[in-house]
Amino acid sequence: MAKIMVVDDEAALARIVRDALANAGHRVYMETDGLAALSRMVELKPDLVISDVMMPGMGGASLLTAMRDNAYLQEVPCIVMSGLPEDAVSLACGDNYSAFLAKPFDLDDLVTVVGRTLNGHA
């Protein structure tokens, strides 16, 4: 069982992701804002972060940069999800993420990618 932080400004999607991962046996925390998620991550020290790329305020790319600059969070793997093509996400996020999920995605694929990432096989 892993501690997973889900960050997406679309609260309905974040709840769906949270529920799917909770059903897979994980403890899942949810934030709809990148800055709030960052401060909560420092408290929780999650095993994995799943973040949307395009969010108002602190978006996914800025969140990843802040995580990599934080001693508590720099090694935490992050799965990014976006409706943008992966090459655009890669340009924005660099190599700061472990795996990419194209929106919309299948919940079974989500659970598979999470398992692979947690096991270091993303």
Side-chain angles (χ1 to χ4, degrees), residues 8-122:
D8 196 317
D9 60 313
E10 294 179 54
L13 177 62
R15 281 192 295 272
I16 290 168
V17 170
R18 178 194 63 197
D19 293 348
L21 295 174
N23 288 338
H26 301 291
R27 278 183 290 158
V28 187
Y29 305 87
M30 188 181 97
E31 289 292 340
T32 56
D33 169 84
L35 194 55
L38 186 64
S39 61
R40 192 153 179 219
M41 278 185 241
V42 172
E43 290 173 30
L44 292 172
K45 296 185 184 89
D47 300 307
L48 175 69
V49 172
I50 302 172
S51 178
D52 187 18
V53 175
M54 302 292 292
M55 296 184 288
M58 179 182 270
S62 298
L63 177 62
L64 282 168
T65 299
M67 286 175 65
R68 299 305 167 234
D69 289 343
N70 183 296
Y72 292 110
L73 304 173
Q74 63 188 7
E75 299 297 323
V76 176
C78 187
I79 298 170
V80 292
M81 51 187 177
S82 181
L84 297 171
E86 187 172 7
D87 57 345
V89 170
S90 180
L91 193 61
C93 298
D95 62 356
N96 287 329
Y97 63 97
S98 303
F100 172 76
L101 277 170
K103 288 181 175 179
F105 50 82
D106 184 86
L107 292 176
D108 290 335
D109 292 341
L110 167 73
V111 172
T112 299
V113 170
V114 165
R116 280 195 206 132
T117 302
L118 287 169
N119 291 322
H121 298 83

